[in-house]
Amino acid sequence: MPSGPPKHEMAYFPEMTTRLPSTSAEFRRVLWTGLYSQVVLMTIPVGGDIGDEIHTVDQALTFTSGIGKATIAGKDQDVKAGDLMVVPAGTQHQFVNTGPTPLILYTIYSPAEHSPQTVHQTKEEGDEEEEKGIDKAPEWSRKSQAENEKAGLVRTDGKY
């Protein structure tokens, strides 16, 4: 997986909302990281959770399999396949698997929250890498629009 800014080409993930497996061996896998957003696949095991947390980035989560409970800013909401939850930056949130099968979702962070190479087999592995500063978003994913335009990473004429 590339570690630098993405190329100016399509990133295609067919049937993300209908064909993701109902089981997955990985707690977290980054699928794509762009200049202003990141797509991450997550699997919360039966009885598991993502951990009560607050990010400095916006997050939108689409659930593709299983059932669970979302707690956002102290309010609870049941979630299931097909649901979308949005967590604004700076907002407390927690997602718990309450069902008999893994709770699978993909999330879009804006801007990126993780290293583009991130693959965590377990929540504990992810927590450890975050605490050690190993799993952090690349600097290039946290630049302003003006900085990216000046560096030639974003051009309105589409010519690179």
Side-chain angles (χ1 to χ4, degrees), residues 88-160:
T91 305
Q92 171 274 335
H93 60 282
Q94 165 71 297
F95 296 90
V96 178
N97 183 343
T98 60
T101 61
L103 180 60
I104 300 179
L105 62 103
Y106 65 90
T107 183
I108 299 174
Y109 294 101
S110 182
E113 176 72 6
H114 299 281
S115 165
Q117 292 82 23
T118 292
V119 177
H120 296 139
Q121 298 302 318
T122 65
K123 177 184 177 299
E124 294 73 23
E125 179 184 356
D127 290 346
E128 182 179 331
E129 286 193 8
E130 287 178 12
E131 287 172 16
K132 290 181 177 178
I134 296 169
D135 180 26
K136 61 182 183 178
E139 288 297 320
W140 55 260
S141 72
R142 297 296 182 106
K143 303 255 185 224
S144 70
Q145 181 179 352
E147 289 172 301
N148 287 330
E149 288 174 355
K150 186 176 181 180
L153 296 173
V154 177
R155 295 177 51 131
T156 57
D157 64 7
K159 297 177 181 171
Y160 296 95

